[in-house]
Amino acid sequence: MSLIVQKFGGSSVADPERIKIVADRVAETLRAGHQVLVVLSALGGTTDKLITLSKEITDNPSDREMDMLLSTGEQISISLLSMALHELGIEAISLTGAQVGIITDSSHTKARIKEISGGTIQKELDQGKVVVVAGFQGIDLSNNITTLGRGGSDLTAVALASVLKADQCEIYTDVDGIYTADPRVVADARKLELISHDEMLELASLGANVMNARSVEFAKKFGVTIHVRSSFNQKDGTLITEEAEKMEDAVIRGVTKNTEESKVTILHVPDTPGVAAKVFKILADVNANIDMIIQNVSEKGKTDISFTVINSDFAKVQKVLEELCTEVGADSVEYDQNIAKISVVGIGMKSHSGVAAKMFEVLAHESINIKMISTSEIKISCVIAKDQADKAVRVLHEEFDLAKELIPE
Ligand code: ADP
Ligand code: ASP
Ligand code: MG
């Protein structure tokens, strides 16, 4: 019998009516003769509400307690779906990450999965039950509850699909699939039939939050094909899969923005060996998520180091950098929280040149100033002012002709 993993995001389980619709969908899959393993997010908006609640108590909550708090969201949704399935006469059992043996390291709020023992789930499935697992959470070796980072239910689904050798891994969300840009920003964004793991990984890491980036990384590593589709209709969505030759026909697959980072510049750092190592070691020690790094040309033995940091780590970076400044003999630190990173992504870039030139030209034409640039084999990113981000995404989508369907040669 084939096993299908179905993950439903927050908007798909936003209220009791939506939960009943999910139960109907699961029932339909069962009727088609499959076993079903469901992974759920918390009810839409719940995780954000819990974060707001913690802020009313403290500005500086312990990461362990945050995980304890945030993991409750998924416990609510799984029990409610299980009850909805019982109402339909279907045997179902809800289980937390700890109960199904999702063992993680102890990096609270962004834990990494170390091991999954699929035995408990398999036993329940073999008894004919639908198993409903809480996404986004695990347990460390000291029995602390951990969470896997925002959007982490996608990772739970992909990891379980891989361990249990599921025949399909479906991610249900509130859009019809993966688009050439966020359809809420670009009206004529086009739904893609296929996208490679690498392209999706870049898009997700660069701000397309439709998929959690680490879930795509996991899928690539273990060869899991993911079907991203809507829980609001029956249409086929997008397959995230291994790279195929015909995918290179498109130079650019998508454009995205990330408005969740800030820019930090350490001014007048001594340009001597070991300084950059010291700066980034201290940032690594506080587990800060650093992204682009740029060091300026040195002048009179001093240089500036700029980098971007994810906003949720901004406060702790600010705290350690004040002390670090004196320690390394830098003048001061400048912060710019008004930035956005916009990126174009496509595996076709490997064999086509001129994409960077075109991107810079398009931005210049719109009088959008570029503050930082970074590239990889399949992406180009520019940091610009936050209030110009949506405009930049729209003009790049337009100028790279992404709304147009590719006509196979
Ligand atoms: P879920 O609650 O199902 O996990 P998310 O809010 O995490 O849903 O992700 C879905 C959202 O991702 C969409 O509503 C859409 O606005 C956004 N999104 C951003 N970039 C893209 C893209 N390239 N394709 C599709 N959706 C995108
Ligand atoms: N509930 C968590 C979040 O909002 C995890 C998830 O939805 O995947 O980030
Ligand atoms: Mg999500």
Side-chain angles (χ1 to χ4, degrees), residues 263-269 279 283 304-307 314 317-326 328 330-336:
K263 182 176 169 220
V264 179
T265 306
I266 312 175
L267 294 162
H268 296 134
V269 193
V279 171
L283 296 170
D304 300 337
I305 297 179
S306 297
F307 59 88
F314 184 78
V317 164
Q318 205 173 13
K319 202 165 148 212
V320 291
L321 281 189
E322 301 302 334
E323 286 165 26
L324 181 95
C325 239
T326 6
V328 299
D331 276 2
S332 55
V333 189
E334 262 179 10
Y335 302 99
D336 183 355

Side-chain angles (χ1 to χ4, degrees), residues 52 143-144 236 357 397:
T52 308
N143 281 340
N144 296 300
D236 279 341
H397 193 270

Side-chain angles (χ1 to χ4, degrees), residues 117-407:
S117 43
T120 311
I121 297 179
Q122 196 61 58
K123 206 176 90 210
E124 300 292 351
L125 288 172
D126 290 345
Q127 287 174 13
K129 288 184 200 155
V130 171
V131 181
V132 186
V133 178
F136 171 59
Q137 54 178 261
I139 191 161
D140 75 4
L141 290 172
S142 311
N143 281 340
N144 296 300
I145 290 178
T146 53
T147 64
L148 309 176
R150 295 304 305 265
S153 301
D154 295 339
L155 177 57
T156 308
V158 172
L160 288 176
S162 170
V163 168
L164 292 156
K165 300 190 173 41
D167 298 274
Q168 287 183 51
C169 178
E170 298 181 321
I171 304 279
Y172 286 89
T173 183
D174 58 357
V175 282
D176 289 353
I178 309 295
Y179 282 70
T180 47
D182 186 341
R184 294 183 208 284
V185 175
V186 179
D188 61 354
R190 179 171 51 87
K191 191 184 87 181
L192 299 164
E193 239 173 78
L194 287 176
I195 186 168
S196 70
H197 286 124
D198 281 330
E199 288 168 320
M200 191 64 236
L201 180 54
E202 288 283 13
L203 282 176
S205 314
L206 296 167
N209 54 6
V210 56
M211 279 302 295
N212 166 279
R214 277 171 48 197
S215 71
V216 184
E217 198 181 357
F218 195 105
K220 175 179 158 64
K221 194 164 166 193
F222 295 98
V224 179
T225 293
I226 304 169
H227 185 182
V228 181
R229 59 194 306 190
S230 173
S231 68
F232 294 78
N233 60 49
Q234 299 287 336
K235 289 183 209 161
D236 279 341
T238 303
L239 290 182
I240 307 174
T241 182
E242 275 162 22
E243 192 174 319
E245 215 175 290
K246 71 169 188 179
M247 288 181 178
E248 289 206 28
D249 290 350
V251 181
I252 303 297
R253 185 83 54 205
V255 36
T256 188
K257 65 166 181 176
N258 181 351
T259 50
E260 303 293 316
E261 289 183 11
S262 296
K263 182 176 169 220
V264 179
T265 306
I266 312 175
L267 294 162
H268 296 134
V269 193
D271 192 10
T272 47
V275 172
K278 202 178 243 172
V279 171
F280 290 100
K281 164 86 173 61
I282 286 176
L283 296 170
D285 285 347
V286 293
N287 211 358
N289 214 329
I290 305 299
D291 185 21
M292 286 172 156
I293 301 174
I294 290 179
Q295 179 168 329
N296 276 356
V297 179
S298 106
E299 213 178 284
K300 294 187 190 129
K302 297 263 186 172
T303 186
D304 300 337
I305 297 179
S306 297
F307 59 88
T308 58
V309 58
I310 188 160
N311 284 339
S312 50
D313 287 342
F314 184 78
K316 60 185 175 192
V317 164
Q318 205 173 13
K319 202 165 148 212
V320 291
L321 281 189
E322 301 302 334
E323 286 165 26
L324 181 95
C325 239
T326 6
E327 206 181 309
V328 299
D331 276 2
S332 55
V333 189
E334 262 179 10
Y335 302 99
D336 183 355
Q337 293 186 273
N338 184 30
I339 61 156
K341 183 168 61 181
I342 43 154
S343 311
V344 295
V345 172
I347 50 175
M349 261 189 236
K350 288 185 200 172
S351 49
H352 289 77
S353 55
V355 176
K358 181 163 176 183
M359 180 174 186
F360 304 155
E361 205 179 290
V362 169
L363 295 177
H365 189 256
E366 297 295 322
S367 304
I368 296 173
N369 188 37
I370 301 172
K371 297 170 191 255
M372 293 170 109
I373 298 167
S374 86
T375 62
S376 79
E377 208 182 15
I378 64 162
K379 72 115 200 279
I380 301 166
S381 301
C382 296
V383 170
I384 61 169
K386 198 184 253 177
D387 56 4
Q388 292 180 309
D390 283 353
K391 178 166 130 189
V393 169
R394 285 189 202 109
V395 291
L396 289 168
H397 193 270
E398 170 87 29
E399 293 301 323
F400 281 104
D401 242 357
L402 295 182
K404 220 187 266 162
E405 197 81 46
L406 269 185
I407 301 168

Side-chain angles (χ1 to χ4, degrees), residues 7 9-10 40-42 47-48 70 74 135-136 149-154 212:
K7 178 259 167 179
L40 290 189
S41 288
T47 310
D48 289 335
L70 298 193
E74 272 67 13
F136 171 59
R150 295 304 305 265
S153 301
D154 295 339
N212 166 279

